[in-house]
Amino acid sequence: MDIGSLSTFESLALWGTLISAVIGILYGLKLRAEILRKDPGTEKMQQVAGQIQEGAGAYLNRQFRTIVILVLVLFVALTITGWMAGSAEMAGWKLGLGRGLAFLLGCFCSGLTGFVGMTLAVRGNVRCANAARTSIVEALAIAFRSGAVAGMFTVAMGLVGATIIFMIFKAYATEVLLGFGFGGSLLALFMRVGGGIYTKAADVGADLVGKVEAGIPEDDPRNAAVIADNVGDNVGDCAGMAADIFESYEVTLVASMILALAHVSENPELARIWIIFPLIVRAIGVITSIIGTEIVRMRSEDEHPMSAITRGFVWSAILSAVGFAFVARFYAQDWRLFWATFAGLVLAVGIYKLTEYYTSAQYEPVQEIAEASQTGAATNLLAGFGVGLEGTVWALLVICACLFFSIQIFGGGHPIDILYGVSLVGLGMLTTTGVVISMDTYGPVADNAQGICEMAEVPEAMPVVEQLDAVGNTTKAATKGLAIASAVIAAIALFGSFLSKVAGASGFGPGGETVSLAALQDYSIPLDDPKVFIGLLIGGAMPFLFSSMTIRAVGRAAFFIINEVRRQFREIPGLMEGKALPESARVVDICTSSAIKELVAPGLLAVLSPIVVGAWFGWYGLGGFLAGIIVTGQLMAVMLCDAGGAWDNAKKVIEDGAYGGKGSDSHSAAVTGDTVGDPFKDTAGPALNPLIKVMNLVGLLVVPIIVRFENTVGMWMTGIVLAAIIAIALILSKGKGEAQVEVQARVGSDDEAA
């Protein structure tokens, strides 16, 4: 394949893209240094923050050690698939080694992005808490900029990797970038699942024993699960979200490049322009994210924090649109590219506002749930579930509207061109990634700041941190909505690349070489074929099975945490009176061991199930499987996130004094709803994002092999072996870890003694 020689402008643009990525990293390091220079507060505040830092660091280190073996195994597998994609122009061993190394690089970049974001968040929290003693303006600046460091690393690391890979491999970069994107997706899946289980198991345990049974405040230092809860906010929302958005950021780029290469036979110049345009769009996003971050400053102590955050987000989007117009007009000379990326910006704003409507305490859905709490937990749960179901429909319609707009722009062209437009929608939507990650990480920083102030007894800061925390609940919910929409767009764009791989493996080009537009006309996935329908049904079932696994994992871990916290209240003399300290490290250890154990089975399901379906039902069945996972994955994710966020803020409405306030029956019902919603919005829902993309990437990687060896004994046997591995992992996941067994044994002994 040959995309022609790069023009002077294109060469400069590529180097400019690299420079912009470096600028993003340097800006992130600058923010980090500024935040660490801030006063960390009193000795007691630093002590509490130190416990959170220690717990978060220990969890991530253990998680990385756990998944390293799987990463090495997949490195070998991806190297082999890359070798099979070789051609006369590019030796198979070069592509194979490039794809394998790119996979490791993607894992490293995704993990580093999450690690950097989390390590600063657990230091920014205490500095935010201390600043809140005197100024909400300064407290907001510290919290938001703590998140901006993760945002800058997310956009910059992905851009550096993708640009360098393109410079080295040119037209074959898409084959290598598949490994890069898969590495980011795999790490994101593990960080989302593990972090989500950790944070919500601790949260459920802390709420049920502390608020409901003991009647003490949310972050009371007497509660042994409080430190684990604050640790969980960081490993789940900071590390998990950063890795999640990183993978969407890469996957949309990979998909757009693969689709652009379909033009390489008929029009190599067009293919080259359509490949380089997304890289320039990414570079624009780095610069506008920096500007948007700088704009997030409260103009006075009386301004609402959400106004400052929204202002930065909107200005980042506006400046990005101006940049898109300039590049589309003077480089690509194709206004369709501008309108498609602009549609992505509109989609980002639309999803943001829609999620805010369904999860913010200012609007009717949350107020309806709070009102329903007056008649008990059952009506609270019914109202919240109804809100989640309704929000799902409108989110889907907004996504469809933007996709339809893109279809109209590229109407009359080849379906691959239309799908390229869809990928540009995703690129445009994720242009403001730097600000989006800042908004999300801001939430746990503010939440931790409130916990630190309560545990360290800093009453003068409480009004400020409570306001910042309430805003954080809304920003976290809104960014989860953006993450879900980006996952859907990325998966649809990847799905469009699926047929290109099928055609290439069917004899219209060597290995993974992208085929011509004419050849692609002969390939489609007929819904009336039984294999397609079987794949569609199985794929549609995957989000339900995956959500069941993650929610039940939270329930299993929370069971042991609740019993451990109860034991400490019962056995530690003077704990309830505040004369003794709880054994917080014990709960942190239970959370860590539970989360690490529980993430293995969902990970194997995500990686192996597409291969099983393809081995048994061929590429038709695999295509149906990927379509099914996209549709039900999006619906399930939005429902879980909207319902969980609405339950959370309905509880806060009551805690602010509505319907009897704290300690009332309404409050007890709202706490129950919030407890049910916790694994919905912070574990199962967000984890579906990387699941959708991991399964689509696995399908894209293995479909050439499936096409070549379809209906062979080897394929059937492979499917049987991998299905057995999944079944064994599912069975073992329901067992008990060592820490859990010890807690259960202790509880049993206590019951016998009683």
Side-chain angles (χ1 to χ4, degrees):
M1 290 184 294
D2 184 14
I3 58 173
S5 301
L6 299 180
S7 67
T8 302
F9 173 81
E10 288 167 341
S11 298
L12 291 174
L14 286 177
W15 284 107
T17 298
L18 272 180
I19 292 171
S20 70
V22 173
I23 291 173
I25 293 174
L26 294 176
Y27 178 70
L29 293 175
K30 169 182 171 291
L31 290 179
R32 185 178 187 276
E34 288 179 356
I35 292 165
L36 292 179
R37 285 197 296 267
K38 301 294 183 181
D39 186 359
T42 66
E43 183 178 348
K44 179 65 174 175
M45 294 170 71
Q46 294 180 53
Q47 179 185 351
V48 174
Q51 290 179 283
I52 297 172
Q53 293 171 29
E54 182 179 354
Y59 170 76
L60 271 194
N61 290 335
R62 187 165 173 180
Q63 183 184 54
F64 289 149
R65 289 199 306 269
T66 300
I67 64 178
V68 68
I69 296 176
L70 178 60
V71 168
L72 293 176
V73 170
L74 290 173
F75 164 74
V76 175
L78 284 165
T79 300
I80 294 172
T81 63
W83 171 73
M84 296 178 67
S87 70
E89 298 177 21
M90 177 66 70
W93 70 267
K94 290 183 180 179
L95 270 184
L97 187 59
R99 180 181 285 183
L101 292 176
F103 168 72
L104 294 180
L105 180 63
C107 290
F108 173 77
C109 290
S110 183
L112 179 65
T113 297
F115 180 79
V116 168
M118 190 207 70
T119 51
L120 185 62
V122 296
R123 288 166 174 78
N125 54 12
V126 68
R127 290 162 173 81
C128 172
N130 185 62
R133 300 164 71 185
T134 56
S135 170
I136 188 173
V137 174
E138 179 69 9
L140 173 69
I142 292 174
F144 192 83
R145 280 159 178 70
S146 295
V149 175
M152 288 301 109
F153 269 78
T154 299
V155 296
M157 294 297 291
L159 195 53
V160 167
T163 305
I164 290 176
I165 288 172
F166 175 73
M167 286 179 164
I168 295 173
F169 291 93
K170 296 295 190 300
Y172 285 88
T174 56
E175 297 296 333
V176 178
L177 281 169
L178 281 174
F180 188 62
F182 183 55
S185 296
L186 186 72
L187 258 289
L189 179 70
F190 282 123
M191 296 178 83
R192 266 300 196 191
V193 173
I197 292 170
Y198 186 115
T199 181
K200 290 305 107 180
D203 199 358
V204 169
D207 280 358
L208 288 182
V209 182
K211 287 184 178 181
V212 177
E213 295 181 6
I216 59 179
E218 181 171 356
D219 292 303
D220 196 292
R222 294 171 290 181
N223 191 332
V226 165
I227 292 295
D229 184 14
N230 283 277
V231 170
D233 290 335
N234 294 285
V235 300
D237 279 322
C238 297
M241 174 60 90
D244 185 1
I245 294 294
F246 174 87
E247 63 155 340
S248 288
Y249 195 78
E250 289 313 308
V251 166
T252 52
L253 186 60
V254 171
S256 65
M257 286 183 165
I258 292 175
L259 294 165
L261 276 173
H263 287 279
V264 73
S265 300
E266 291 86 355
N267 192 340
E269 182 180 0
L270 178 65
R272 188 179 67 250
I273 291 172
W274 280 19
I275 289 172
I276 293 177
F277 179 79
L279 291 171
I280 299 176
V281 165
R282 288 287 187 243
I284 291 171
V286 173
I287 304 304
T288 56
S289 290
I290 292 174
I291 296 172
T293 300
E294 288 296 315
I295 290 175
V296 180
R297 298 179 185 275
M298 293 177 63
R299 293 169 176 170
S300 69
E301 295 283 334
D302 297 328
E303 185 181 23
H304 196 280
M306 196 67 204
S307 299
I309 293 173
T310 301
R311 185 164 56 245
F313 175 70
V314 171
W315 270 109
S316 178
I318 291 173
L319 293 174
S320 296
V322 173
F324 298 164
F326 183 84
V327 177
R329 170 65 181 83
F330 294 103
Y331 167 58
Q333 298 181 0
D334 188 344
W335 279 108
R336 295 179 302 173
L337 306 189
F338 164 73
W339 287 113
T341 48
F342 180 74
L345 290 172
V346 173
L347 176 59
V349 175
I351 290 291
Y352 176 84
K353 298 304 293 183
L354 187 64
T355 309
E356 181 184 5
Y357 172 75
Y358 279 103
T359 59
S360 174
Q362 303 175 29
Y363 300 107
E364 183 180 349
V366 169
Q367 294 169 4
E368 174 189 336
I369 298 171
E371 184 179 2
S373 302
Q374 296 177 92
T375 50
T379 47
N380 171 281
L381 293 172
L382 290 172
F385 199 70
V387 165
L389 292 172
E390 180 183 312
T392 297
V393 176
W394 292 109
L396 182 66
L397 291 177
V398 169
I399 293 173
C400 289
C402 287
L403 293 180
F404 184 70
F405 178 73
S406 178
I407 291 170
Q408 294 304 305
I409 294 172
F410 286 85
H414 192 280
I416 290 294
D417 292 0
I418 295 173
L419 285 167
Y420 178 78
V422 170
S423 72
L424 291 185
V425 173
L427 286 165
M429 181 180 185
L430 291 171
T431 301
T432 57
T433 289
V435 178
V436 170
I437 294 293
S438 305
M439 292 164 58
D440 184 79
T441 306
Y442 157 83
V445 171
D447 192 349
N448 275 196
Q450 181 182 10
I452 291 170
C453 288
E454 191 163 328
M455 287 184 279
E457 299 178 352
V458 188
E460 66 272 19
M462 288 303 294
V464 170
V465 292
E466 285 176 351
Q467 184 179 6
L468 294 179
D469 182 35
V471 172
N473 285 332
T474 300
T475 60
K476 285 191 294 183
T479 52
K480 284 184 177 68
L482 290 171
I484 294 167
S486 71
V488 173
I489 299 295
I492 293 173
L494 281 177
F495 190 74
S497 308
F498 180 79
L499 291 178
S500 175
K501 293 295 180 185
V502 171
S506 300
F508 287 96
E513 186 173 339
T514 304
V515 297
S516 67
L517 295 178
L520 285 172
Q521 297 284 11
D522 298 329
Y523 288 85
S524 61
I525 301 176
L527 279 178
D528 58 350
D529 187 288
K531 288 184 179 180
V532 176
F533 218 78
I534 290 172
L536 192 66
L537 292 173
I538 297 174
M542 286 298 104
F544 293 86
L545 176 59
F546 189 82
S547 298
S548 169
M549 294 169 68
T550 52
I551 290 173
R552 292 172 74 180
V554 171
R556 283 192 294 268
F559 173 83
F560 295 103
I561 293 168
I562 289 169
N563 280 314
E564 173 63 19
V565 176
R566 286 173 176 170
R567 180 195 67 79
Q568 293 192 26
F569 276 129
R570 185 172 62 247
E571 295 183 3
I572 298 178
L575 179 58
M576 276 300 294
E577 293 77 20
K579 299 177 181 178
L581 293 175
E583 298 172 359
S584 299
R586 180 64 192 156
V587 179
V588 169
D589 185 60
I590 294 173
C591 285
T592 300
S593 62
S594 298
I596 295 299
K597 170 182 172 292
E598 298 284 3
L599 66 81
V600 175
L604 289 175
L605 177 71
V607 174
L608 300 182
S609 58
I611 305 176
V612 173
V613 172
W616 285 349
F617 305 107
W619 72 267
Y620 268 16
L622 179 57
F625 176 89
L626 299 180
I629 183 71
I630 294 172
V631 174
T632 60
Q634 188 275 338
L635 295 171
M636 176 71 81
V638 175
M639 190 279 291
L640 293 171
C641 289
D642 277 7
W647 272 317
D648 189 354
N649 275 331
K651 176 201 67 177
K652 292 188 179 301
V653 167
I654 294 176
E655 288 179 343
D656 288 339
Y659 308 116
K662 292 183 179 180
S664 64
D665 290 340
S666 296
H667 183 234
S668 178
V671 169
T672 301
D674 177 41
T675 304
V676 172
D678 276 336
F680 276 34
K681 67 181 175 66
D682 290 327
T683 307
L688 288 172
N689 304 337
L691 176 76
I692 294 170
K693 289 170 285 188
V694 164
M695 286 186 165
N696 274 270
L697 277 168
V698 170
L700 210 56
L701 287 164
V702 302
V703 72
I705 300 174
I706 289 170
V707 170
R708 294 179 189 182
F709 300 101
E710 191 172 354
N711 297 323
T712 62
V713 174
M715 276 282 99
W716 277 90
M717 293 304 298
T718 299
I720 291 172
V721 171
L722 296 183
I725 293 174
I726 294 173
I728 292 171
L730 290 172
I731 294 170
L732 292 178
S733 71
K734 298 181 181 179
K736 300 180 177 65
E738 294 178 6
Q740 296 172 331
V741 170
E742 184 180 336
V743 172
Q744 190 175 36
R746 182 184 298 166
V747 172
S749 300
D750 293 341
D751 291 342
E752 290 177 7

